[in-house]
Amino acid sequence: MSSDVFRTDHQLSDLDDRWAALAGDESEPDVADAFVFHFSEVEEQLAPDQRWSTWLDVERGSRGPEPRPSWVVTEQAAIDTELGILKTGKEADVFLLERAVEQIGDNPARRSLLAAKRYRSEEHRSFHRSTSYVEGRRTRNSRDTRALAKKSSHGRSVAAGQWAYAEWDALCRLWKAGVPVPYPVQVDGIELLMEFIDDGDGGAAPRLAQVRPKGELLSSYYEQLRDGMRELARAGLAHGDLSPYNVLAQGERIVMIDLPQVVDIVGNPKGMDFLMRDCHNMCTWFTNRGLEVDEHELFADLLTMVF
């Protein structure tokens, strides 16, 4: 028979010697003990300001709308690194976050900067939004409604996350409608991750209140703002708290931010009042910069988008 199938006595004897060496003595080795493998989980150590990407941890409906921008990092191996705080507020703080993945095989390394807005729990907020904003809204389920009414611990948690999800829903709806808002990446509890609007040099884009545009740029800003407010109105919505402090100036474009209080113009009894206030706040700023605009004309124009 073929020697490839059966070993010779000499070969078998040589194997016995090797078994004995593995056992550490001249006794016959126990085959079961000879192949004992010890495994230990090796976990990459992350710095205190790092975490694994939470992209796959959230529900599908809590991830940004498609088509997603190419810069959105969705790899499971990505790491989130907190780089510092961008803004502190009465109800939420905004942090700068880097989501990055190293090169794996032929897949290149990728990174993106995100703004992480984290809403505070009710007992840690120094500002409580007026209930006028939420008239006509519904909570996500009846259990949450009961918890809110009872002000239980779950109810306080719901109240904390309610504004995050309200802003998330508004950003998704408005981004798909073409309104100039940051792209919403994901929402998870009280944390909302969105596109970081930079100034072109790595820093945060300034608020409209901080810049002094003139001439054509001032006119362009107003036209962009009016178009954005039109798209909001076409969707039946008003920003509700629009001011030069809630608009970013990114080079030659503007971006609306801070939208948790977005108001249903028709469904909310004070919807028209909120819309008029938005018009007044923005037209006053542009008028003070030398641009002749009329808040009543803007208000009438927006109403044609609603009805």
Side-chain angles (χ1 to χ4, degrees):
M1 294 187 180
S2 170
S3 60
D4 292 336
V5 178
F6 295 98
R7 296 180 182 276
T8 65
D9 290 342
H10 174 74
Q11 289 172 314
L12 292 174
S13 176
D14 183 56
L15 285 174
D16 289 341
D17 292 341
R18 294 182 184 180
W19 283 116
L22 286 171
D25 54 33
E26 298 299 325
S27 61
E28 188 72 17
D30 186 335
V31 175
D33 293 337
F35 285 99
V36 177
F37 297 94
H38 298 281
F39 295 94
S40 60
E41 185 176 352
V42 178
E43 183 175 347
E44 183 176 343
Q45 294 296 316
L46 299 181
D49 58 352
Q50 291 183 320
R51 70 184 184 191
W52 291 106
S53 169
T54 56
W55 173 262
L56 294 181
D57 295 336
V58 301
E59 301 174 357
R60 182 177 296 273
S62 297
R63 300 174 196 158
E66 297 180 353
R68 298 189 181 103
S70 60
W71 54 262
V72 177
V73 177
T74 60
E75 285 84 351
Q76 186 174 7
I79 293 176
D80 294 345
T81 303
E82 200 162 293
L83 301 179
I85 192 163
L86 292 171
K87 175 195 171 186
T88 58
K90 295 179 180 179
E91 56 189 17
D93 298 320
V94 183
F95 298 83
L96 181 62
L97 200 75
E98 179 192 63
R99 176 164 289 177
V101 61
E102 296 181 357
Q103 180 173 350
I104 302 176
D106 295 332
N107 297 322
R110 300 203 309 128
R111 65 184 292 271
S112 65
L113 291 177
L114 305 174
K117 188 171 185 178
R118 296 167 189 161
Y119 281 84
R120 300 195 188 104
S121 58
E122 191 173 7
E123 60 267 30
H124 294 108
R125 293 163 61 190
S126 59
F127 173 71
H128 299 273
R129 288 188 181 273
S130 169
T131 55
S132 299
Y133 286 111
V134 296
E135 291 187 46
R137 285 189 191 172
R138 295 180 180 178
T139 52
R140 290 176 167 253
N141 56 58
S142 57
R143 177 173 179 261
D144 289 347
T145 302
R146 292 193 299 270
L148 282 169
K150 294 179 180 179
K151 297 184 178 180
S152 63
S153 58
H154 174 65
R156 289 192 295 271
S157 176
V158 171
Q162 193 176 37
W163 292 109
Y165 280 95
E167 183 161 20
W168 165 258
D169 290 338
L171 285 173
C172 289
R173 184 176 178 181
L174 299 177
W175 188 84
K176 289 188 288 186
V179 179
V181 296
Y183 175 77
V185 175
Q186 68 178 68
V187 65
D188 185 15
I190 62 172
E191 181 183 71
L192 170 61
L193 298 184
M194 68 190 93
E195 175 186 3
F196 171 61
I197 307 299
D198 65 11
D199 60 1
D201 295 320
R207 298 176 185 275
L208 191 61
Q210 298 172 303
V211 299
R212 296 293 182 267
K214 299 183 182 299
E216 293 183 1
L217 183 58
L218 182 65
S219 298
S220 175
Y221 279 174
Y222 178 75
E223 291 172 4
Q224 292 179 56
L225 178 76
R226 182 190 58 202
D227 291 345
M229 294 179 73
R230 278 178 171 174
E231 290 303 324
L232 269 165
R234 196 189 305 275
L237 302 172
H239 185 287
D241 193 27
L242 193 58
S243 77
Y245 294 94
N246 288 334
V247 178
L248 299 181
Q250 186 186 43
E252 296 184 353
R253 68 185 287 254
I254 64 162
V255 180
M256 296 182 186
I257 60 171
D258 291 339
L259 290 141
Q261 72 295 308
V262 65
V263 173
D264 186 321
I265 297 173
V266 177
N268 189 307
K270 297 183 179 179
M272 296 289 187
D273 295 334
F274 283 117
L275 180 62
M276 185 67 228
R277 189 175 70 178
D278 286 350
C279 294
H280 171 75
N281 289 343
M282 297 313 304
C283 286
T284 297
W285 187 85
F286 280 98
T287 299
N288 291 340
R289 298 298 176 278
L291 188 67
E292 294 184 7
V293 293
D294 186 281
E295 61 190 66
H296 298 286
E297 288 184 4
L298 176 60
F299 179 73
D301 181 36
L302 296 178
L303 287 183
T304 64
M305 301 291 106
V306 179
F307 301 102

